[in-house]
């Protein structure tokens, strides 16, 4: 499994545009049906705008089931995990229950 380390591909994790590079890299793996891990190593927090751009936007191109199967979150803090879960749950208010915690692996 390949690992995308966010700090290695973007200097900032503060807004939507910062997540674009991360999104493109993750989307490439998911499009090829390949498992990929996203590492938040060295980051204590990220904004919800970054999470929306880098991760939640994947729902525009892939099913949530596919994302859960192929995307792993590693080396993450509790705060980052909670933000990811909250954002997936917010998007899921269409009536579908997302079990967001399944994509987060404890490091």
């Amino acid at each position: 499994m390949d690992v995308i380390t966010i700090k290695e591909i973007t200097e900032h994790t503060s807004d939507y545009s910062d997540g674009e590079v991360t999104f493109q890299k993750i989307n490439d793996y998911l499009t090829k049906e390949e498992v990929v891990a996203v590492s938040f190593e060295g980051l204590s927090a990220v904004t919800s705008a970054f999470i929306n751009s880098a991760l939640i936007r994947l729902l525009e191109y892939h099913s949530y089931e596919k994302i859960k199967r192929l995307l792993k979150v590693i080396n993450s803090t509790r705060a980052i995990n909670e933000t990811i879960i909250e954002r997936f749950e917010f998007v899921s208010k269409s009536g579908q229950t997302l079990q967001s915690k399944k994509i987060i692996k404890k490091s």
Side-chain angles (χ1 to χ4, degrees), residues 25-71:
K25 289 189 175 290
I26 296 169
N27 192 48
D28 288 346
Y29 281 92
L30 299 186
T31 299
K32 295 185 283 188
E33 298 282 333
E34 295 178 4
V35 176
V36 63
V38 176
S39 173
F40 287 85
E41 184 174 3
L43 297 170
S44 58
V46 296
T47 65
S48 60
F50 178 84
I51 297 297
N52 287 342
S53 176
L55 300 176
I56 305 306
R57 188 168 160 225
L58 293 166
L59 291 168
E60 296 175 20
Y61 302 91
H62 309 281
S63 71
Y64 185 66
E65 292 302 317
K66 180 179 181 178
I67 294 168
K68 286 192 310 187
R69 183 170 42 87
L70 298 177
L71 178 63

Side-chain angles (χ1 to χ4, degrees), residues 90-103:
F90 178 79
V91 171
S92 75
K93 285 188 176 180
S94 64
Q96 179 183 9
T97 302
L98 299 180
Q99 297 175 356
S100 305
K101 293 181 181 181
K102 290 187 177 181
I103 67 167

